[in-house]
Amino acid sequence: MKRLLFIFFIFLTIIILPFSPIYAAKAPVLPVKPIKILLVPGHDSEVWGAQYGNMKEATMNLTLATQIYNILKKDKRFEVYITRDDTSLSGYTKEFADFFTQRDAILAFEQNAKNLIQAKIINGNFIVKINPPHHTVTEDVALRLYGFNKWADENKIDAMVHIHFNDYPRTNAWTIGKYKGFVVYFPDGQFANSKESANLAADIFMQLHKKYITSTYPPELGGLIPDQKLIALGSNGTLNPSVRSVLIEYGYIYRFQTKKSRETAYVNMAQLTATGIKNYFFPK
């Protein structure tokens, strides 16, 4: 009799439990709308960033970003945008080339954010910290970076991924430097979009670290770095809490001297980055 009752109990468990409210609550709930991803290949044809020999960072950034774009575009769970391509004279997609014509609106957006953060600093509600050294950008470059943030806020972007290759100041820029490795930046903890940006950064970091070492440049040791000053990450509080933002320096430009090494890196880095993004939004 006990044996029969035990078998009956197991039968009920198998048949009824999957339909119970407790069981159903644990089932993953997929988003109704696609996740919006904005890819920002750093620099452009006018200000191309780092250079080593005939390799320009802007070109490398765009090549890698395009491969990430193509991977994510095939996944219907994502709606993917990219700021630059090879189809326009300006280098920027029509959507962003048109958006940059709103110069006064972008400048007002930038100035308002700076005023608000300055008031917080004066009131003691925002603590200025020492950040890794970064190049000072021109007014036009800053305008575009703040423009990306304004566009991301207005278009309810879920995540911005800035793609870069690294370099550092030295006496002769045409010699091979001593540093190597990647680093992923995310917003400082005082910014509203910091927590989820950090989680996204960590998922991408874990994938890239499977194949690549982290930066050996002292200010970037550890490879996962919070930052206050990078406009790309929402400096001055220019990104909404829902807009995750990370900036990836995939490696030092002089480490990719041959065409074959670059092509191999693009394939591997694109796949690892896309996997990190997918793991964050759709954890297994």
Side-chain angles (χ1 to χ4, degrees), residues 58-81:
T59 303
M60 295 174 67
N61 296 340
L62 178 57
T63 304
L64 175 53
T66 301
Q67 294 201 23
I68 298 171
Y69 176 90
N70 290 337
I71 293 171
L72 294 177
K73 193 72 175 176
K74 294 176 182 177
D75 191 327
K76 300 304 180 185
R77 298 174 298 180
F78 294 98
E79 185 176 315
V80 196
Y81 302 86

PDB file of all heavy atoms in Angstrom, residues 58-81:
ATOM      1  N   ALA A  58      40.586  54.228 -36.113  1.00  0.00           N
ATOM      2  CA  ALA A  58      39.186  54.403 -36.546  1.00  0.00           C
ATOM      3  C   ALA A  58      38.755  53.289 -37.491  1.00  0.00           C
ATOM      4  O   ALA A  58      37.633  52.781 -37.409  1.00  0.00           O
ATOM      5  CB  ALA A  58      39.005  55.762 -37.214  1.00  0.00           C
ATOM      6  N   THR A  59      39.659  52.892 -38.396  1.00  0.00           N
ATOM      7  CA  THR A  59      39.356  51.818 -39.346  1.00  0.00           C
ATOM      8  C   THR A  59      39.221  50.484 -38.626  1.00  0.00           C
ATOM      9  O   THR A  59      38.299  49.703 -38.900  1.00  0.00           O
ATOM     10  CB  THR A  59      40.462  51.724 -40.414  1.00  0.00           C
ATOM     11  OG1 THR A  59      40.592  52.997 -41.059  1.00  0.00           O
ATOM     12  CG2 THR A  59      40.133  50.653 -41.445  1.00  0.00           C
ATOM     13  N   MET A  60      40.119  50.211 -37.684  1.00  0.00           N
ATOM     14  CA  MET A  60      40.057  48.967 -36.928  1.00  0.00           C
ATOM     15  C   MET A  60      38.779  48.916 -36.077  1.00  0.00           C
ATOM     16  O   MET A  60      38.109  47.878 -36.011  1.00  0.00           O
ATOM     17  CB  MET A  60      41.289  48.840 -36.033  1.00  0.00           C
ATOM     18  CG  MET A  60      42.604  48.711 -36.793  1.00  0.00           C
ATOM     19  SD  MET A  60      44.078  48.725 -35.720  1.00  0.00           S
ATOM     20  CE  MET A  60      43.885  47.182 -34.834  1.00  0.00           C
ATOM     21  N   ASN A  61      38.450  50.044 -35.462  1.00  0.00           N
ATOM     22  CA  ASN A  61      37.228  50.105 -34.650  1.00  0.00           C
ATOM     23  C   ASN A  61      35.995  49.784 -35.477  1.00  0.00           C
ATOM     24  O   ASN A  61      35.114  49.025 -35.042  1.00  0.00           O
ATOM     25  CB  ASN A  61      37.068  51.499 -34.038  1.00  0.00           C
ATOM     26  CG  ASN A  61      38.169  51.853 -33.060  1.00  0.00           C
ATOM     27  OD1 ASN A  61      38.854  50.983 -32.537  1.00  0.00           O
ATOM     28  ND2 ASN A  61      38.347  53.132 -32.799  1.00  0.00           N
ATOM     29  N   LEU A  62      35.930  50.378 -36.673  1.00  0.00           N
ATOM     30  CA  LEU A  62      34.760  50.172 -37.525  1.00  0.00           C
ATOM     31  C   LEU A  62      34.673  48.724 -38.009  1.00  0.00           C
ATOM     32  O   LEU A  62      33.583  48.137 -38.040  1.00  0.00           O
ATOM     33  CB  LEU A  62      34.806  51.122 -38.723  1.00  0.00           C
ATOM     34  CG  LEU A  62      33.655  50.987 -39.727  1.00  0.00           C
ATOM     35  CD1 LEU A  62      32.300  51.171 -39.054  1.00  0.00           C
ATOM     36  CD2 LEU A  62      33.824  51.981 -40.872  1.00  0.00           C
ATOM     37  N   THR A  63      35.809  48.144 -38.370  1.00  0.00           N
ATOM     38  CA  THR A  63      35.814  46.749 -38.843  1.00  0.00           C
ATOM     39  C   THR A  63      35.301  45.807 -37.761  1.00  0.00           C
ATOM     40  O   THR A  63      34.459  44.936 -38.008  1.00  0.00           O
ATOM     41  CB  THR A  63      37.222  46.330 -39.271  1.00  0.00           C
ATOM     42  OG1 THR A  63      37.703  47.236 -40.265  1.00  0.00           O
ATOM     43  CG2 THR A  63      37.219  44.918 -39.844  1.00  0.00           C
ATOM     44  N   LEU A  64      35.801  45.984 -36.536  1.00  0.00           N
ATOM     45  CA  LEU A  64      35.373  45.122 -35.430  1.00  0.00           C
ATOM     46  C   LEU A  64      33.907  45.375 -35.082  1.00  0.00           C
ATOM     47  O   LEU A  64      33.132  44.427 -34.899  1.00  0.00           O
ATOM     48  CB  LEU A  64      36.257  45.364 -34.209  1.00  0.00           C
ATOM     49  CG  LEU A  64      35.875  44.628 -32.922  1.00  0.00           C
ATOM     50  CD1 LEU A  64      35.736  43.131 -33.155  1.00  0.00           C
ATOM     51  CD2 LEU A  64      36.899  44.909 -31.823  1.00  0.00           C
ATOM     52  N   ALA A  65      33.510  46.634 -35.004  1.00  0.00           N
ATOM     53  CA  ALA A  65      32.118  46.975 -34.660  1.00  0.00           C
ATOM     54  C   ALA A  65      31.147  46.403 -35.684  1.00  0.00           C
ATOM     55  O   ALA A  65      30.058  45.928 -35.330  1.00  0.00           O
ATOM     56  CB  ALA A  65      31.958  48.488 -34.563  1.00  0.00           C
ATOM     57  N   THR A  66      31.533  46.429 -36.949  1.00  0.00           N
ATOM     58  CA  THR A  66      30.662  45.899 -38.007  1.00  0.00           C
ATOM     59  C   THR A  66      30.466  44.404 -37.839  1.00  0.00           C
ATOM     60  O   THR A  66      29.359  43.880 -38.051  1.00  0.00           O
ATOM     61  CB  THR A  66      31.255  46.211 -39.396  1.00  0.00           C
ATOM     62  OG1 THR A  66      31.401  47.628 -39.537  1.00  0.00           O
ATOM     63  CG2 THR A  66      30.355  45.690 -40.500  1.00  0.00           C
ATOM     64  N   GLN A  67      31.517  43.692 -37.434  1.00  0.00           N
ATOM     65  CA  GLN A  67      31.377  42.247 -37.217  1.00  0.00           C
ATOM     66  C   GLN A  67      30.482  41.947 -36.015  1.00  0.00           C
ATOM     67  O   GLN A  67      29.680  41.009 -36.043  1.00  0.00           O
ATOM     68  CB  GLN A  67      32.752  41.610 -37.056  1.00  0.00           C
ATOM     69  CG  GLN A  67      33.588  41.668 -38.332  1.00  0.00           C
ATOM     70  CD  GLN A  67      34.695  40.639 -38.374  1.00  0.00           C
ATOM     71  OE1 GLN A  67      34.640  39.612 -37.704  1.00  0.00           O
ATOM     72  NE2 GLN A  67      35.706  40.882 -39.196  1.00  0.00           N
ATOM     73  N   ILE A  68      30.609  42.750 -34.947  1.00  0.00           N
ATOM     74  CA  ILE A  68      29.709  42.584 -33.800  1.00  0.00           C
ATOM     75  C   ILE A  68      28.271  42.866 -34.235  1.00  0.00           C
ATOM     76  O   ILE A  68      27.342  42.131 -33.877  1.00  0.00           O
ATOM     77  CB  ILE A  68      30.112  43.531 -32.651  1.00  0.00           C
ATOM     78  CG1 ILE A  68      31.520  43.207 -32.152  1.00  0.00           C
ATOM     79  CG2 ILE A  68      29.109  43.431 -31.492  1.00  0.00           C
ATOM     80  CD1 ILE A  68      32.083  44.231 -31.178  1.00  0.00           C
ATOM     81  N   TYR A  69      28.102  43.915 -35.012  1.00  0.00           N
ATOM     82  CA  TYR A  69      26.777  44.296 -35.536  1.00  0.00           C
ATOM     83  C   TYR A  69      26.154  43.139 -36.316  1.00  0.00           C
ATOM     84  O   TYR A  69      24.987  42.781 -36.121  1.00  0.00           O
ATOM     85  CB  TYR A  69      26.919  45.522 -36.433  1.00  0.00           C
ATOM     86  CG  TYR A  69      25.658  45.964 -37.123  1.00  0.00           C
ATOM     87  CD1 TYR A  69      24.792  46.880 -36.528  1.00  0.00           C
ATOM     88  CD2 TYR A  69      25.327  45.481 -38.396  1.00  0.00           C
ATOM     89  CE1 TYR A  69      23.634  47.299 -37.161  1.00  0.00           C
ATOM     90  CE2 TYR A  69      24.175  45.891 -39.033  1.00  0.00           C
ATOM     91  CZ  TYR A  69      23.332  46.798 -38.416  1.00  0.00           C
ATOM     92  OH  TYR A  69      22.180  47.196 -39.049  1.00  0.00           O
ATOM     93  N   ASN A  70      26.940  42.532 -37.204  1.00  0.00           N
ATOM     94  CA  ASN A  70      26.421  41.448 -38.052  1.00  0.00           C
ATOM     95  C   ASN A  70      26.007  40.230 -37.222  1.00  0.00           C
ATOM     96  O   ASN A  70      25.033  39.548 -37.561  1.00  0.00           O
ATOM     97  CB  ASN A  70      27.469  41.052 -39.092  1.00  0.00           C
ATOM     98  CG  ASN A  70      27.668  42.133 -40.144  1.00  0.00           C
ATOM     99  OD1 ASN A  70      26.781  42.961 -40.368  1.00  0.00           O
ATOM    100  ND2 ASN A  70      28.820  42.143 -40.781  1.00  0.00           N
ATOM    101  N   ILE A  71      26.740  39.948 -36.148  1.00  0.00           N
ATOM    102  CA  ILE A  71      26.388  38.815 -35.283  1.00  0.00           C
ATOM    103  C   ILE A  71      25.080  39.086 -34.554  1.00  0.00           C
ATOM    104  O   ILE A  71      24.157  38.267 -34.553  1.00  0.00           O
ATOM    105  CB  ILE A  71      27.517  38.531 -34.269  1.00  0.00           C
ATOM    106  CG1 ILE A  71      28.778  38.026 -34.978  1.00  0.00           C
ATOM    107  CG2 ILE A  71      27.059  37.491 -33.231  1.00  0.00           C
ATOM    108  CD1 ILE A  71      29.994  37.935 -34.080  1.00  0.00           C
ATOM    109  N   LEU A  72      24.983  40.252 -33.924  1.00  0.00           N
ATOM    110  CA  LEU A  72      23.785  40.577 -33.141  1.00  0.00           C
ATOM    111  C   LEU A  72      22.556  40.770 -34.026  1.00  0.00           C
ATOM    112  O   LEU A  72      21.435  40.477 -33.613  1.00  0.00           O
ATOM    113  CB  LEU A  72      24.035  41.835 -32.303  1.00  0.00           C
ATOM    114  CG  LEU A  72      25.077  41.721 -31.193  1.00  0.00           C
ATOM    115  CD1 LEU A  72      25.269  43.063 -30.501  1.00  0.00           C
ATOM    116  CD2 LEU A  72      24.675  40.647 -30.180  1.00  0.00           C
ATOM    117  N   LYS A  73      22.773  41.262 -35.239  1.00  0.00           N
ATOM    118  CA  LYS A  73      21.662  41.532 -36.151  1.00  0.00           C
ATOM    119  C   LYS A  73      20.919  40.242 -36.505  1.00  0.00           C
ATOM    120  O   LYS A  73      19.717  40.264 -36.791  1.00  0.00           O
ATOM    121  CB  LYS A  73      22.192  42.199 -37.426  1.00  0.00           C
ATOM    122  CG  LYS A  73      21.125  42.818 -38.310  1.00  0.00           C
ATOM    123  CD  LYS A  73      20.561  44.074 -37.694  1.00  0.00           C
ATOM    124  CE  LYS A  73      19.587  44.752 -38.652  1.00  0.00           C
ATOM    125  NZ  LYS A  73      18.945  45.938 -38.007  1.00  0.00           N
ATOM    126  N   LYS A  74      21.623  39.126 -36.488  1.00  0.00           N
ATOM    127  CA  LYS A  74      20.999  37.841 -36.818  1.00  0.00           C
ATOM    128  C   LYS A  74      20.112  37.318 -35.696  1.00  0.00           C
ATOM    129  O   LYS A  74      19.322  36.398 -35.911  1.00  0.00           O
ATOM    130  CB  LYS A  74      22.085  36.806 -37.135  1.00  0.00           C
ATOM    131  CG  LYS A  74      22.888  37.120 -38.391  1.00  0.00           C
ATOM    132  CD  LYS A  74      24.005  36.100 -38.582  1.00  0.00           C
ATOM    133  CE  LYS A  74      24.851  36.434 -39.799  1.00  0.00           C
ATOM    134  NZ  LYS A  74      25.985  35.477 -39.950  1.00  0.00           N
ATOM    135  N   ASP A  75      20.261  37.883 -34.505  1.00  0.00           N
ATOM    136  CA  ASP A  75      19.486  37.451 -33.339  1.00  0.00           C
ATOM    137  C   ASP A  75      18.268  38.357 -33.203  1.00  0.00           C
ATOM    138  O   ASP A  75      18.397  39.550 -32.911  1.00  0.00           O
ATOM    139  CB  ASP A  75      20.361  37.539 -32.082  1.00  0.00           C
ATOM    140  CG  ASP A  75      19.730  36.862 -30.872  1.00  0.00           C
ATOM    141  OD1 ASP A  75      18.492  36.876 -30.764  1.00  0.00           O
ATOM    142  OD2 ASP A  75      20.476  36.340 -30.026  1.00  0.00           O
ATOM    143  N   LYS A  76      17.085  37.819 -33.411  1.00  0.00           N
ATOM    144  CA  LYS A  76      15.856  38.608 -33.422  1.00  0.00           C
ATOM    145  C   LYS A  76      15.516  39.209 -32.062  1.00  0.00           C
ATOM    146  O   LYS A  76      14.613  40.036 -31.952  1.00  0.00           O
ATOM    147  CB  LYS A  76      14.681  37.749 -33.915  1.00  0.00           C
ATOM    148  CG  LYS A  76      14.862  37.203 -35.327  1.00  0.00           C
ATOM    149  CD  LYS A  76      15.107  38.320 -36.327  1.00  0.00           C
ATOM    150  CE  LYS A  76      15.295  37.765 -37.743  1.00  0.00           C
ATOM    151  NZ  LYS A  76      15.651  38.847 -38.707  1.00  0.00           N
ATOM    152  N   ARG A  77      16.227  38.807 -31.031  1.00  0.00           N
ATOM    153  CA  ARG A  77      15.996  39.384 -29.707  1.00  0.00           C
ATOM    154  C   ARG A  77      16.598  40.784 -29.592  1.00  0.00           C
ATOM    155  O   ARG A  77      16.334  41.508 -28.638  1.00  0.00           O
ATOM    156  CB  ARG A  77      16.574  38.480 -28.617  1.00  0.00           C
ATOM    157  CG  ARG A  77      15.942  37.091 -28.560  1.00  0.00           C
ATOM    158  CD  ARG A  77      16.656  36.208 -27.560  1.00  0.00           C
ATOM    159  NE  ARG A  77      18.053  35.967 -27.897  1.00  0.00           N
ATOM    160  CZ  ARG A  77      18.887  35.232 -27.183  1.00  0.00           C
ATOM    161  NH1 ARG A  77      18.464  34.656 -26.065  1.00  0.00           N
ATOM    162  NH2 ARG A  77      20.149  35.064 -27.555  1.00  0.00           N
ATOM    163  N   PHE A  78      17.412  41.168 -30.593  1.00  0.00           N
ATOM    164  CA  PHE A  78      18.098  42.457 -30.546  1.00  0.00           C
ATOM    165  C   PHE A  78      17.701  43.354 -31.715  1.00  0.00           C
ATOM    166  O   PHE A  78      17.445  42.889 -32.831  1.00  0.00           O
ATOM    167  CB  PHE A  78      19.612  42.253 -30.576  1.00  0.00           C
ATOM    168  CG  PHE A  78      20.156  41.568 -29.360  1.00  0.00           C
ATOM    169  CD1 PHE A  78      20.417  40.200 -29.369  1.00  0.00           C
ATOM    170  CD2 PHE A  78      20.384  42.274 -28.198  1.00  0.00           C
ATOM    171  CE1 PHE A  78      20.913  39.561 -28.248  1.00  0.00           C
ATOM    172  CE2 PHE A  78      20.878  41.641 -27.056  1.00  0.00           C
ATOM    173  CZ  PHE A  78      21.141  40.284 -27.078  1.00  0.00           C
ATOM    174  N   GLU A  79      17.676  44.640 -31.433  1.00  0.00           N
ATOM    175  CA  GLU A  79      17.518  45.680 -32.448  1.00  0.00           C
ATOM    176  C   GLU A  79      18.812  46.481 -32.398  1.00  0.00           C
ATOM    177  O   GLU A  79      19.092  47.169 -31.415  1.00  0.00           O
ATOM    178  CB  GLU A  79      16.315  46.553 -32.103  1.00  0.00           C
ATOM    179  CG  GLU A  79      15.950  47.597 -33.137  1.00  0.00           C
ATOM    180  CD  GLU A  79      14.684  48.349 -32.753  1.00  0.00           C
ATOM    181  OE1 GLU A  79      13.712  47.681 -32.329  1.00  0.00           O
ATOM    182  OE2 GLU A  79      14.671  49.588 -32.850  1.00  0.00           O
ATOM    183  N   VAL A  80      19.621  46.398 -33.445  1.00  0.00           N
ATOM    184  CA  VAL A  80      20.998  46.891 -33.377  1.00  0.00           C
ATOM    185  C   VAL A  80      21.192  48.132 -34.248  1.00  0.00           C
ATOM    186  O   VAL A  80      20.726  48.186 -35.389  1.00  0.00           O
ATOM    187  CB  VAL A  80      21.995  45.800 -33.820  1.00  0.00           C
ATOM    188  CG1 VAL A  80      23.412  46.176 -33.388  1.00  0.00           C
ATOM    189  CG2 VAL A  80      21.621  44.441 -33.247  1.00  0.00           C
ATOM    190  N   TYR A  81      21.901  49.111 -33.683  1.00  0.00           N
ATOM    191  CA  TYR A  81      22.245  50.338 -34.399  1.00  0.00           C
ATOM    192  C   TYR A  81      23.767  50.507 -34.369  1.00  0.00           C
ATOM    193  O   TYR A  81      24.436  50.031 -33.461  1.00  0.00           O
ATOM    194  CB  TYR A  81      21.604  51.559 -33.732  1.00  0.00           C
ATOM    195  CG  TYR A  81      20.100  51.492 -33.636  1.00  0.00           C
ATOM    196  CD1 TYR A  81      19.478  50.852 -32.560  1.00  0.00           C
ATOM    197  CD2 TYR A  81      19.296  52.077 -34.616  1.00  0.00           C
ATOM    198  CE1 TYR A  81      18.102  50.790 -32.463  1.00  0.00           C
ATOM    199  CE2 TYR A  81      17.906  52.025 -34.521  1.00  0.00           C
ATOM    200  CZ  TYR A  81      17.315  51.378 -33.447  1.00  0.00           C
ATOM    201  OH  TYR A  81      15.945  51.314 -33.351  1.00  0.00           O
TER     202      TYR A  81
END
